[in-house]
Amino acid sequence: MKEEDIRRDSHLREVAKLHSEDVKEIIKSEPSFVHVNCPACGNDSSIFLHQKEGFSFDKCTNCQTVFINPRPSEMLLKDFYSNSKSMRYWNDVIFPETEEKREKLLFQERVNRIISFICKYNIPTNTLMDVGAGFGTFCFSMQKEGLFESVIAVESSKKLALSCKNRGINTIARPIEEVEIEKADVITSFEVIEHLYDPIKFVKSCYKTLSRNGLLILTTPNVRGFELSMLKTLSPNYGGPDHLNYYHPKSLQLLVENNGFKTLEILTPGKLDVELVRKKILNKELVMNENWFLEDILVNQYEKMGEAFQKFIVQNHLSSHMWIIAQKF
């Protein structure tokens, strides 16, 4: 899979422009930003790392989770997601235009992987709930499998929730923290937890909503993965106000286990680390200095070694795309 398959360069340029406008708007409220504890372990001690576009990034002194601190309040974030120009562009343009390829290259693989977990851990298939369902592609793909009696999209954005409903998906247009519903056997949440003001509260709400022995499956960036470790603030996946929390495998495990879950598996099945870093080198945004070894692999030997290097990254839990599978007992 290439990045161009799921988001074209023209899309990314427009998103970057709109995101910059969004940032300028919310940063006006910086004096009212809120200081928070670590979003993994709750520790109240952190050290400053760096800034990007007016947002300060701290690292927890206990578990080394990276997070924006201070950050916009819950009310500011709710308003941001309701009015964000870049988010609207994703929903109105990118998702519809790339739907077919995203379903084929991303979501069907997610569906297959989750079905394998369900079989492996002998999980009932009454209800699956996808929290932060976005455009509804995953729910739509899972519904087509006919495995679950009920597939429910939980999406707090009214516009995205409407997109889900229009596809015939049973949709709850509220955050999981406000959902009162029958117990789910599986809760999935793809690339959501990094956006949340209070991830600990989110995980507790998932625990409450799951049936006994139910599975929680989360995906999120891995701050210790290859792409984020190499690019840091250069990464398009790094920055506020939408990306607030950056976990690594041990801190994500700490988050779920501190809130009642048992970790079953952690994996990093990313596909784009090498390509994303290579692009920054070719565009002369990332200077490799004397790191000739990596530059040789990523630039000169890319056609020969790029795919194998990405596989090495995945197999050794070093991708910046991370999954955790946890169970409620």
Side-chain angles (χ1 to χ4, degrees):
M1 184 180 78
K2 303 293 185 184
E3 186 180 22
E4 182 78 10
D5 293 329
I6 58 173
R7 45 184 185 249
R8 295 197 294 272
D9 286 344
S10 58
H11 287 155
L12 295 177
R13 286 192 294 271
E14 183 64 17
V15 165
K17 180 178 77 70
L18 295 175
H19 178 73
S20 178
E21 295 174 12
D22 288 338
V23 167
K24 288 177 183 177
E25 189 60 33
I26 198 170
I27 210 70
K28 294 176 184 177
S29 301
E30 190 272 337
S32 69
F33 284 8
V34 182
H35 283 270
V36 296
N37 293 345
C38 173
C41 69
N43 181 38
D44 63 359
S45 174
S46 60
I47 57 173
F48 172 77
L49 284 181
H50 42 239
Q51 280 196 335
K52 181 178 181 179
E53 296 179 315
F55 294 96
S56 296
F57 291 78
D58 281 8
K59 181 169 71 173
C60 175
T61 57
N62 179 50
C63 71
Q64 285 74 57
T65 296
V66 176
F67 57 104
I68 287 181
N69 193 31
R71 62 183 51 186
S73 66
E74 287 187 271
M75 187 62 68
L76 277 173
L77 286 170
K78 184 177 181 180
D79 183 66
F80 167 77
Y81 285 118
S82 297
N83 299 297
S84 165
K85 297 175 183 177
S86 57
M87 297 292 180
R88 191 178 306 126
Y89 185 78
W90 276 98
N91 185 65
D92 294 348
V93 179
I94 299 179
F95 288 148
E97 288 188 9
T98 62
E99 173 77 353
E100 185 176 345
K101 285 189 175 181
R102 292 174 71 85
E103 183 174 8
K104 179 181 178 181
L105 297 174
L106 286 179
F107 289 96
Q108 189 57 51
E109 184 173 308
R110 288 180 181 177
V111 166
N112 294 341
R113 182 174 287 129
I114 287 165
I115 291 173
S116 73
F117 293 139
I118 291 165
C119 295
K120 182 176 181 178
Y121 297 109
N122 196 28
I123 305 300
T125 54
N126 299 309
T127 302
L128 179 143
M129 182 183 297
D130 186 38
V131 182
F135 197 63
T137 308
F138 170 74
C139 288
F140 184 73
S141 298
M142 183 60 84
Q143 275 188 170
K144 290 194 298 185
E145 295 292 325
L147 178 64
F148 283 88
E149 293 181 18
S150 176
V151 174
I152 301 170
V154 178
E155 176 51 62
S156 57
S157 164
K158 292 181 179 179
K159 188 152 190 174
L160 287 169
L162 182 60
S163 295
C164 292
K165 288 179 181 178
N166 289 340
R167 307 183 75 175
I169 301 165
N170 183 2
T171 305
I172 300 172
R174 298 193 303 277
I176 184 69
E177 293 86 348
E178 298 176 10
V179 171
E180 294 291 339
I181 197 167
E182 294 181 9
K183 297 295 185 181
D185 301 300
V186 178
I187 290 179
T188 58
S189 187
F190 301 105
E191 311 299 304
V192 170
I193 201 166
E194 65 271 19
H195 298 270
L196 301 178
Y197 176 84
D198 191 347
I200 294 174
K201 182 179 178 182
F202 172 84
V203 172
K204 287 180 177 178
S205 297
C206 291
Y207 184 90
K208 179 182 176 182
T209 305
L210 273 170
S211 302
R212 183 173 176 81
N213 298 322
L215 289 188
L216 174 65
I217 301 172
L218 303 176
T219 76
T220 191
N222 171 18
V223 73
R224 292 183 177 174
F226 182 72
E227 185 243 330
L228 285 176
S229 294
M230 290 292 295
L231 299 184
K232 298 182 174 65
T233 57
L234 288 174
S235 171
N237 297 312
Y238 197 98
D242 43 346
H243 288 72
L244 298 163
N245 316 297
Y246 292 87
Y247 299 95
H248 53 83
K250 288 185 178 179
S251 71
L252 187 59
Q253 181 176 353
L254 190 64
L255 171 65
V256 300
E257 292 185 355
N258 279 354
N259 292 286
F261 290 95
K262 176 184 178 181
T263 301
L264 300 178
E265 298 184 38
I266 296 176
L267 55 154
T268 66
K271 297 183 177 181
L272 296 176
D273 296 76
V274 172
E275 181 185 353
L276 293 175
V277 174
R278 181 174 188 266
K279 278 186 174 181
K280 293 297 183 181
I281 297 172
L282 293 177
N283 291 338
K284 303 189 184 307
E285 296 175 71
L286 177 64
V287 179
M288 298 299 285
N289 294 320
E290 295 182 2
N291 197 339
W292 60 266
F293 178 81
L294 272 180
E295 186 170 16
D296 192 46
I297 293 174
L298 299 176
V299 179
N300 302 325
Q301 303 292 330
Y302 178 72
E303 296 300 326
K304 179 181 178 181
M305 301 178 66
E307 185 176 346
F309 188 45
Q310 183 67 42
K311 287 181 179 178
F312 169 84
I313 288 169
V314 169
Q315 291 167 357
N316 289 279
H317 291 181
L318 296 174
S319 170
S320 288
H321 174 59
M322 173 170 56
W323 286 54
I324 190 166
I325 299 86
Q327 190 166 27
K328 174 180 177 177
F329 286 100

